[in-house]
């Protein structure tokens, strides 16, 4: 059976990679990629080749997305357009509109569609929050004691609520919700990867949080499988194991600068205003309490596990940036 797939967020690295992989699948007759700006591969800036993906410039906040779905007889939707940090030009309000209103419009269009049979939504483990009272490891059925109250994580939690509502209203559609740990890899540009490339890494005094990563190659493979196979449900996606922040600092060959929480917050506000690194309130909590999730459900459902552990994903990122620990080669 051939499929016609819609991929949102194709102007960003992971979204472009997912569209490219799906476009190379002979069982998929057509891939349409949508975003508010053209992907770098369609400009003179390089970027991931989209192959035979057809790009359509559309804002998910507008009703136009329903016309795209109807005109192309889309049967599979892969929603990748979740922005993790506001840009200097748009700000937090527009970021929230894009994430939440955009998802509402997209799901509304899917609900009205007579052809959509599979919906895959990229979410984040940030929906669990970060708290000193959290369990050691989150499974998909657990909730944080202090759930997200603003920012990217709150947007993701709201989007998940709309996804669950859509699944109830359209039980004939296979809905897959993927909660990814922080992406890591050569092509990833995020607040966290930018943090680790600084010469000195501010840390929160008295805390050494556990961190988890998922390599971009594994993320793309999970999304490919979810887009071409029926795997209904909610799944955590993370590389095996954890790294302490202090271990990450040593592997990166960086110096740490422990700060009291108020000083870390003040530094974050300053860095955000000048467009450097996004030390959001979520970042502060993550850098204080960390987070770890269990991906057993994903491995059982797919019969597959990520090839990269958390440590291997971080090491591959470091190699791509030419970073080495003090006094030795990267292992």
């Amino acid at each position: 059976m051939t499929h016609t797939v819609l991929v949102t967020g194709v102007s960003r690295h992971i979204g472009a990679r997912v569209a490219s992989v799906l476009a190379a699948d002979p069982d998929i007759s057509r891939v349409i990629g949508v975003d508010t700006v053209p992907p770098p591969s369609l400009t003179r800036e390089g970027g991931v080749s989209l192959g035979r993906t057809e790009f359509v410039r559309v804002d998910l906040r507008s009703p136009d997305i329903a016309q795209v779905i109807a005109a192309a007889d889309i049967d599979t939707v892969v929603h990748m357009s979740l922005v993790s940090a506001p840009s200097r030009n748009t700000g937090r309000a527009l970021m929230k509109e894009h994430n939440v209103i955009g998802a509402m419009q997209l799901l509304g269009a899917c609900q009205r569609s007579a052809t959509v049979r599979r919906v895959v939504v990229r979410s984040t483990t940030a929906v669990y929050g970060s708290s000193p009272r959290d369990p050691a490891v989150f499974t998909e059925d657990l909730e944080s004691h202090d759930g997200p109250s603003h920012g990217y994580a709150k947007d993701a939690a709201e989007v998940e609520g709309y996804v669950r509502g859509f699944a109830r209203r359209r039980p004939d559609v296979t809905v897959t919700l993927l909660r990814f740990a922080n992406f890591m890899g050569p092509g990833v540009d995020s607040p966290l990867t930018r943090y680790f490339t600084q010469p000195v890494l501010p840390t929160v005094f008295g805390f050494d949080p556990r961190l988890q990563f998922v390599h971009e190659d594994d993320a793309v493979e999970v999304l490919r499988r979810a887009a071409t196979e029926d795997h209904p449900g909610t799944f955590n996606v993370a590389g095996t194991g954890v790294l302490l922040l202090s271990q990450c600092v040593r592997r990166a060959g960086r110096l740490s600068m422990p700060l009291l929480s108020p000083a870390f917050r003040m530094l974050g506000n300053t860095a955000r205003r000048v467009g450097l690194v996004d030390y959001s309130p979520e970042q502060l909590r993550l850098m204080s309490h960390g987070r770890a999730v269990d991906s057993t459900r994903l491995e059982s459902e797919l019969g597959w596990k990520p090839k990269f552990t958390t440590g291997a994903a971080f090491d591959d990122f470091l190699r791509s940036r030419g970073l080495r620990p003090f006094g030795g080669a990267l292992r």
Side-chain angles (χ1 to χ4, degrees):
M1 177 181 178
T2 60
H3 299 283
T4 304
V5 184
L6 178 84
V7 181
T8 70
V10 293
S11 71
R12 286 176 287 277
H13 179 69
I14 302 293
R17 286 200 58 186
V18 170
S20 177
V21 167
L22 294 174
D25 188 333
D27 290 331
I28 295 177
S29 59
R30 192 177 182 191
V31 178
I32 296 177
V34 300
D35 214 320
T36 54
V37 296
S41 60
L42 299 185
T43 66
R44 296 183 178 179
E45 303 173 18
V48 177
S49 171
L50 296 182
R52 59 187 175 92
T53 301
E54 305 166 45
F55 175 69
V56 178
R57 188 168 185 164
V58 62
D59 190 328
L60 292 183
R61 296 172 297 175
S62 76
D64 294 345
I65 189 62
Q67 299 175 18
V68 174
I69 290 174
D73 290 334
I74 298 293
D75 60 71
T76 300
V77 173
V78 183
H79 182 41
M80 296 292 299
S81 193
L82 185 64
V83 178
S84 60
S87 70
R88 296 180 65 181
N89 300 324
T90 59
R92 167 64 188 143
L94 286 179
M95 170 186 161
K96 182 177 178 64
E97 283 186 19
H98 175 88
N99 286 342
V100 179
I101 305 302
M104 288 176 61
Q105 286 282 6
L106 177 66
L107 292 170
C110 291
Q111 182 175 329
R112 295 188 295 272
S113 170
T115 58
V116 171
R117 288 294 176 265
R118 184 182 293 131
V119 173
V120 181
V121 178
R122 171 217 160 179
S123 189
T124 169
T125 57
V127 297
Y128 296 117
S130 294
S131 163
R133 297 183 294 166
D134 286 342
V137 178
F138 279 104
T139 62
E140 292 84 352
D141 300 322
L142 295 177
E143 295 183 3
S144 172
H145 286 93
D146 299 309
S149 57
H150 43 47
Y152 165 59
K154 185 174 188 296
D155 290 354
E158 289 186 32
V159 169
E160 286 198 6
Y162 293 123
V163 171
R164 287 189 289 271
F166 168 79
R168 288 192 297 269
R169 291 187 293 272
R170 287 292 305 269
D172 58 311
V173 175
T174 299
V175 179
T176 306
L177 186 65
L178 300 170
R179 291 174 177 162
F180 288 96
N182 288 287
F183 292 137
M184 196 61 65
V188 178
D189 178 29
S190 68
L192 199 59
T193 59
R194 290 192 291 273
Y195 167 82
F196 283 120
T197 57
Q198 297 177 103
V200 179
L201 305 182
T203 59
V204 183
F205 181 78
F207 294 92
D208 195 9
R210 297 169 305 144
L211 302 176
Q212 269 185 323
F213 309 123
V214 58
H215 194 277
E216 59 179 283
D217 290 355
D218 289 325
V220 171
E221 175 61 14
V222 169
L223 287 156
R224 183 196 69 79
R225 288 170 179 253
T228 57
E229 305 166 359
D230 285 335
H231 298 293
T234 300
F235 304 95
N236 293 330
V237 189
T240 304
V242 299
L243 283 175
L244 298 176
L245 178 58
S246 60
Q247 293 175 313
C248 293
V249 172
R250 287 195 297 273
R251 286 183 184 226
R254 289 336 206 195
L255 295 174
S256 63
M257 180 174 61
L259 300 171
L260 295 175
S261 292
F264 189 98
R265 190 177 297 111
M266 288 177 60
L267 177 64
N269 291 335
T270 302
R272 197 159 53 248
R273 281 195 297 270
V274 299
L276 295 177
V277 179
D278 180 35
Y279 293 119
S280 63
E282 301 163 276
Q283 186 94 337
L284 173 60
R285 287 193 294 273
L286 182 65
M287 292 302 182
S288 299
H289 309 297
R291 185 189 311 117
V293 301
D294 183 346
S295 298
T296 301
R297 179 183 292 181
L298 175 83
E299 296 171 12
S300 175
E301 172 68 23
L302 271 62
W304 171 90
K305 66 185 300 181
K307 294 181 179 179
F308 288 80
T309 64
T310 285
F314 189 63
D315 287 351
D316 194 42
F317 159 73
L318 294 179
R319 278 190 291 268
S320 72
R321 299 301 201 274
L323 299 176
R324 295 292 184 274
F326 290 126
L330 183 64
R331 291 184 177 86

